[in-house]
Amino acid sequence: MTQYYREHSKVWVSVDCIVFGFENNHLKLLIGRRQMDPGRGEWSLYGGFVRDDESLDDAAYRVLRDLTGLKKTYMKQVGAFGAIDRDPGERVISVAYCALINVADYDDKLRQQYGVEWVDLDKLPKLYSDHNQMVSKAISLLRRRIKTEPLSFNLLPDLFTLTQLQHVYEAILGDGIDKRNFRKRIKQIDFIEKTELIDKKTSKRGAALYRFNKKLYADDPTFKL
């Protein structure tokens, strides 16, 4: 390290991961009891400090990979949180990241190892420091982007029904969607492909299964729902 900037005060920099999942028609958040002081035992997002040899993105991906074991995960920066008194221990600036994962892809042994739980977003408890603010900002970001980016497919299995897809949109937007108009619009989108497979587990009558064609989307990423 150099000897520059000694006349300036130093601050700690951390990342916090806002990990969303979708299960039983509910948007869920991965939280756990804080394992360190200050705030030990309080509900909290999962995060960590940025190392000397890491960028912010690298630190966030490391934290998420350690927590979930998943390597290819949707993640976007939500914003920086730097209120002077946000951490009673030291002056800590945290950069929040939003991640979307399929709950079924998350190894439950890792969940138990790290002592975290999936909690319905509408039943979210008071979180440590400004973590509730981070979550609120992340939700606002998702609501803006879900109409122009295919975010929902990160929360679903590879094969899904249109009902499942609609429930994801409703969970993120926090409001109901007209079924007929939604399906009409979805069927006009080339990269949402209907397969010959039928879902007989979640549908009594048997619903057609669809999939997200990443290649078709990459060729023409114009998307608006």
Side-chain angles (χ1 to χ4, degrees), residues 146-179:
I146 194 171
K147 295 181 180 181
T148 57
E149 296 180 29
L151 306 181
S152 55
F153 306 108
N154 297 284
L155 296 166
L156 291 167
D158 292 336
L159 295 173
F160 52 86
T161 66
L162 291 187
T163 297
Q164 289 173 317
L165 181 60
Q166 179 176 338
H167 286 329
V168 169
Y169 273 86
E170 291 174 333
I172 291 177
L173 296 173
D175 199 5
I177 298 175
D178 181 79
K179 179 178 179 180

Side-chain angles (χ1 to χ4, degrees), residues 14-184:
S14 67
V15 293
D16 282 295
C17 291
I18 307 163
V19 184
F20 290 112
F22 179 75
E23 189 178 45
N24 298 326
N25 298 336
H26 288 280
L27 192 63
K28 294 177 177 287
L29 183 69
L30 199 60
I31 60 174
R33 295 287 186 179
R34 190 168 164 87
Q35 301 296 312
M36 61 188 297
D37 293 319
R40 186 183 297 272
E42 294 183 31
W43 287 109
S44 171
L45 298 172
Y46 193 82
F49 287 99
V50 180
R51 297 171 179 171
D52 289 341
D53 59 349
E54 290 180 321
S55 68
L56 287 171
D57 288 356
D58 288 341
Y61 277 111
R62 169 180 56 81
V63 168
L64 183 65
R65 185 173 59 251
D66 289 348
L67 176 63
T68 67
L70 303 175
K71 295 181 179 180
K72 295 182 179 180
T73 307
Y74 173 91
M75 179 181 282
K76 292 291 184 181
Q77 189 179 120
V78 173
F81 295 77
I84 295 174
D85 59 350
R86 65 172 302 275
D87 191 302
E90 295 285 352
R91 180 70 198 281
V92 180
I93 295 174
S94 181
V95 180
Y97 283 79
C98 172
L100 305 177
I101 69 173
N102 179 16
V103 172
D105 291 338
Y106 184 29
D107 188 344
D108 199 57
K109 292 181 180 178
L110 279 176
R111 183 190 65 77
Q112 296 178 36
Q113 176 183 333
Y114 285 99
V116 291
E117 299 180 19
W118 288 110
V119 177
D120 287 358
L121 196 62
D122 56 5
K123 297 179 181 178
L124 195 63
K126 173 67 174 67
L127 302 178
Y128 173 75
S129 185
D130 51 9
H131 289 190
N132 286 90
Q133 296 176 33
M134 294 180 181
V135 176
S136 294
K137 189 170 183 179
I139 288 294
S140 296
L141 180 147
L142 291 181
R143 287 175 176 170
R144 291 195 304 270
R145 292 188 172 184
I146 194 171
K147 295 181 180 181
T148 57
E149 296 180 29
L151 306 181
S152 55
F153 306 108
N154 297 284
L155 296 166
L156 291 167
D158 292 336
L159 295 173
F160 52 86
T161 66
L162 291 187
T163 297
Q164 289 173 317
L165 181 60
Q166 179 176 338
H167 286 329
V168 169
Y169 273 86
E170 291 174 333
I172 291 177
L173 296 173
D175 199 5
I177 298 175
D178 181 79
K179 179 178 179 180
R180 181 178 298 179
N181 290 336
F182 180 80
R183 294 192 173 212
K184 180 180 178 180

